[in-house]
Amino acid sequence: MKSLSFKQKLSLVYLCLVPLIVMAIAFGIGHVSYKIYLPVWIVNACLMISAAWNLGGYQLSSNNREIKRQVATALLLFTPWLLFSIFAGMGPPPATLQGWVNTAAEQQIRYTILIAAGIIFALGSALLKVKLQAAGENIYSAMASAAINLALPLFIINMAFWGYYLTDTFRVFIQLGVAKRPDWYEPVKSLFYVISIAEVLLIYLSTVLFAVSLKVTGLFNPVACRYYIVFGLVGIILVVFPPTWPEPFGTAGFLVAIPAIPFVMPYLIGVHLLKQTKAN
């Protein structure tokens, strides 16, 4: 394999740091005006696209069908966090009903982005399954794809619930000045808590299974695969911890259940796939 050029190494470092930087800004600074975060997001998106192109995205125009498919797979796995980087400026969702209603449009945009990202991720995963099966691994890749097929409808329903159903419900609560939540509110909230746990757990499970498949086929370095496997297993374990558990388990369970977090490892798999095309 050809070694990475300085430009490609810089691109790789930048892309790997994006999720960490986005989370640090989102939780460290919180919500800022869209007049600030939107231009910053556009600049970052351009930088990410440029870095992905330098790293291996330019091979999308290759005459080699296998290389083109690998780049397409990588870019589809990469795109969700390209979209999620806008959350750095949006910050976490508001903690109060009034705050949610005041930023209703932003919350609907947030969850629409998550829905779009989930669909793109599923498409990328389908191509990854094809690549792995072409390399001779049919068991783990098939189970990983099945896990995603189960997770995606739950993910879309959950994101639509948070972005649209709850937004309209909170508007009604504010308009009517409801001091006490209706009897149906807590059971519905409990239902969607279970849905949220199920879809996140399935995405982590798919990460573990894909990582095992990548290791079996030898497409990725075994050490890198172990990191993906460990991250996925930790996510599976922590996400089932209820928020009422003692610290740090409650907070850890909350963090790994944030909708964008399970997409970190698939994103890094996409970046790794881009890096692998450098030899061609």
Side-chain angles (χ1 to χ4, degrees):
M1 278 192 176
K2 297 177 184 177
S3 61
L4 291 174
S5 67
F6 174 76
K7 194 175 182 180
Q8 288 174 321
K9 288 178 181 177
L10 194 61
S11 297
L12 179 61
V13 170
Y14 182 76
L15 292 177
C16 289
L17 287 176
V18 164
L20 184 61
I21 294 170
V22 169
M23 288 185 283
I25 294 174
F27 287 102
I29 298 177
H31 182 269
V32 297
S33 170
Y34 74 91
K35 295 179 181 178
I36 297 173
Y37 74 70
L38 197 54
V40 172
W41 173 72
I42 292 172
V43 171
N44 175 68
C46 291
L47 290 173
M48 289 181 70
I49 291 169
S50 176
W53 185 261
N54 291 332
L55 194 59
Y58 63 89
Q59 295 279 18
L60 195 61
S61 59
S62 171
N63 293 324
N64 186 316
R65 291 181 62 185
E66 179 58 32
I67 292 298
K68 288 180 71 171
R69 186 165 63 186
Q70 177 165 324
V71 173
T73 303
L75 292 176
L76 286 170
L77 295 174
F78 158 89
T79 300
W81 264 95
L82 172 69
L83 300 176
F84 295 159
S85 60
I86 197 172
F87 297 157
M90 287 185 176
T96 64
L97 266 63
Q98 189 64 60
W100 195 290
V101 171
N102 291 344
T103 59
E106 283 190 350
Q107 303 318 315
Q108 290 178 334
I109 290 170
R110 180 197 304 273
Y111 290 101
T112 300
I113 288 172
L114 284 159
I115 290 171
I119 294 170
I120 293 168
F121 164 65
L123 295 175
S125 299
L127 288 183
L128 181 58
K129 173 192 172 184
V130 170
K131 179 176 179 61
L132 290 165
Q133 292 189 336
E137 201 294 300
N138 297 302
I139 298 176
Y140 298 108
S141 57
M143 289 193 293
S145 183
I148 292 167
N149 290 339
L150 290 170
L152 183 61
L154 297 176
F155 184 80
I156 292 174
I157 290 169
N158 192 35
M159 296 303 100
F161 170 77
W162 280 89
Y164 292 88
Y165 180 82
L166 279 187
T167 299
D168 288 342
T169 299
F170 291 163
R171 283 196 184 108
V172 172
F173 287 169
I174 293 294
Q175 290 170 359
L176 298 179
V178 178
K180 183 178 181 297
R181 299 291 173 265
D183 292 339
W184 55 262
Y185 181 74
E186 286 302 323
V188 170
K189 186 178 176 182
S190 297
L191 170 64
F192 276 89
Y193 172 76
V194 174
I195 290 174
S196 174
I197 296 303
E199 47 98 350
V200 170
L201 189 148
L202 285 166
I203 295 174
Y204 282 123
L205 177 61
S206 72
T207 299
V208 172
L209 292 169
F210 271 134
V212 174
S213 182
L214 288 163
K215 183 180 179 183
V216 169
T217 56
L219 293 175
F220 278 17
N221 185 298
V223 175
C225 293
R226 288 191 197 104
Y227 282 119
Y228 299 138
I229 292 169
V230 169
F231 181 88
L233 290 175
V234 169
I236 290 171
I237 293 168
L238 292 179
V239 78
V240 298
F241 289 165
T244 54
W245 271 43
E247 297 299 343
F249 300 107
T251 299
F254 165 76
L255 290 174
V256 298
I258 293 172
I261 302 301
F263 293 88
V264 171
M265 286 296 112
Y267 164 80
L268 294 177
I269 289 174
V271 172
H272 196 146
L273 286 171
L274 282 176
K275 185 182 73 170
Q276 281 190 338
T277 64
K278 69 183 183 297
N280 300 281

